[in-house]
Amino acid sequence: MARLGNGWLGSSAITSSIANMELVPPSPSNWMNMKLGFYKFELRNLQACTVKINGGSPIYLDVEQGFISNSEDAMIYSFVIVEPNIQYQWLGAY
């Protein structure tokens, strides 16, 4: 099986959300117009919240339900927690 990834990014600690803030960081400047995307992504939410994935419709996540995607799912280019003050932790493989 071919290797898919180049690295991991994620939270350094439990963080509190800012309303509608993008969790996927911008691509490094040396990527020449390539957008950062995660082929694996996990979110752990400590309170109930609503998320938007890749600009899609809002999705409700119950307390500590979390979200997990892997290489069989669509790449994650955008992940937004809609509400403020939601404690969360995330990690992604790119």
Side-chain angles (χ1 to χ4, degrees):
M1 180 179 209
R3 181 175 65 108
L4 292 176
N6 292 309
W8 294 87
L9 292 174
S11 305
S12 59
I14 300 291
T15 305
S16 289
S17 67
I18 297 171
N20 296 304
M21 187 175 116
E22 178 62 62
L23 297 187
V24 176
S27 302
S29 59
N30 64 343
W31 279 27
M32 310 258 199
N33 297 327
M34 289 177 43
K35 190 168 183 160
L36 177 62
F38 295 109
Y39 70 93
K40 285 197 226 177
F41 187 88
E42 294 189 28
L43 173 86
R44 179 176 163 230
N45 57 303
L46 300 182
Q47 292 86 25
C49 65
T50 308
V51 299
K52 292 182 182 179
I53 304 165
N54 292 342
S57 297
I59 298 170
Y60 174 78
L61 299 178
D62 208 351
V63 175
E64 296 184 5
Q65 178 179 353
F67 173 85
I68 299 174
S69 71
N70 62 43
S71 61
E72 295 175 359
D73 299 314
M75 292 279 288
I76 303 287
Y77 295 103
S78 173
F79 198 98
V80 171
I81 299 174
V82 175
E83 299 85 3
N85 304 315
I86 302 297
Q87 291 184 302
Y88 70 93
Q89 177 182 4
W90 72 273
L91 62 96
Y94 64 92

